[in-house]
């Protein structure tokens, strides 16, 4: 019978150091916030309905903002300080890259420079 001190020394691949313990998976990064998209528009007849002040008309700036997965479209009188939420213009996006498409659609609907 052999004692632990008398065990033959292992050689070959089995003698290699055991693999390092698996590192924990990195925590999922928070979704990147997309920069707001802005476009100057001219409201059509009837203007743009907002939650805060009702209808706004004339030369406006439209801004689509993404916070987390929520997109909100806001409007302001061109060069003013106050922004107003466009009524009904809130949605949840599955992919932040979709913000550009949403913004383009909203601009296409609300920009009516010829009335």
């Amino acid at each position: 019978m052999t004692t632990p001190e008398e065990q033959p020394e292992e050689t070959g691949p089995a003698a290699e150091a055991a693999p390092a313990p698996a590192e924990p998976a990195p925590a999922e990064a928070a979704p990147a916030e997309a920069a707001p998209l802005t476009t100057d528009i001219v409201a059509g007849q009837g203007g743009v309905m907002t939650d805060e002040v009702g209808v706004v008309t004339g030369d406006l700036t439209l801004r689509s903002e993404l916070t987390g997965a929520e997109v909100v479209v806001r409007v302001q009188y061109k060069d003013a300080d106050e922004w107003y939420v466009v009524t009904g213009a809130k949605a949840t996006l599955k992919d932040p890259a979709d913000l550009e498409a949403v913004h383009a659609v909203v601009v296409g609907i609300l920009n009516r420079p010829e009335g």
Side-chain angles (χ1 to χ4, degrees):
M1 185 163 160
T2 60
T3 62
E5 294 85 30
E6 297 173 351
Q7 291 291 331
E9 189 174 310
E10 290 187 36
T11 59
E16 299 282 327
E23 293 183 25
E28 285 190 32
E33 297 295 319
L37 302 175
T38 60
T39 302
D40 290 338
I41 66 169
V42 177
Q45 187 174 9
V48 176
M49 180 62 78
T50 68
D51 291 349
E52 298 86 356
V53 296
V55 175
V56 293
T57 60
D59 294 333
L60 307 171
T61 301
L62 190 74
R63 179 173 71 190
S64 300
E65 305 170 340
L66 185 63
T67 303
E70 299 296 315
V71 64
V72 176
V73 179
R74 299 179 192 275
V75 68
Q76 72 175 172
Y77 289 104
K78 190 164 169 49
D79 300 322
D81 292 328
E82 300 85 16
W83 288 94
Y84 309 112
V85 175
V86 175
T87 299
K90 296 180 183 178
T92 301
L93 300 183
K94 299 247 184 223
D95 185 340
D98 293 340
L99 180 63
E100 289 182 37
V102 169
H103 184 76
V105 168
V106 174
V107 168
I109 292 169
L110 298 178
N111 188 31
R112 296 285 176 240
E114 303 194 11

